[in-house]
Amino acid sequence: MAEIEMPGDEVERLGTLLRRVMELIDTKPAGFNAADVGPPLVRSGSNFDKKWNDGRTQVKRNSKDLKDACEAIVKAFADADNQQAQALKGDDGSNNG
């Protein structure tokens, strides 16, 4: 039987970080106000925020897909681990070894 090494902690951490990216990606709810950057940059700040809308939507969608995939991978390996442990114990829970 082949041994498969899966960095579960890292994949789980990636899912957590992607969730955080999704929380922080919206600048308006985070309190962004272009005027706060000062008079010389107000127009640039506003322009960036408006143009970032499309990118923000795409990054959020992709981050959600990746986060969901991380969660599915971690769950699939945990389920496989549990099934293998049960198989080693035997169907009736006794150790026939």
Side-chain angles (χ1 to χ4, degrees), residues 34-35 37-47:
V37 296
L41 301 174
V42 172
R43 188 175 337 174
S44 296
S46 291
N47 262 354

Side-chain angles (χ1 to χ4, degrees), residues 10-23:
E10 289 86 350
V11 174
E12 190 170 4
R13 177 80 175 129
L14 178 59
T16 300
L17 292 172
L18 287 165
R19 185 178 309 111
R20 187 71 177 136
V21 165
M22 292 167 47
E23 292 169 0

Side-chain angles (χ1 to χ4, degrees), residues 58-86:
Q58 185 173 354
V59 169
K60 281 175 74 172
R61 181 176 40 248
N62 292 344
S63 295
K64 181 185 181 320
D65 291 345
L66 288 169
K67 177 191 71 70
D68 292 347
C70 288
E71 291 169 355
I73 290 167
V74 169
K75 183 181 181 329
F77 272 87
D79 290 349
D81 245 6
N82 290 334
Q83 289 172 358
Q84 289 297 319
Q86 285 299 96

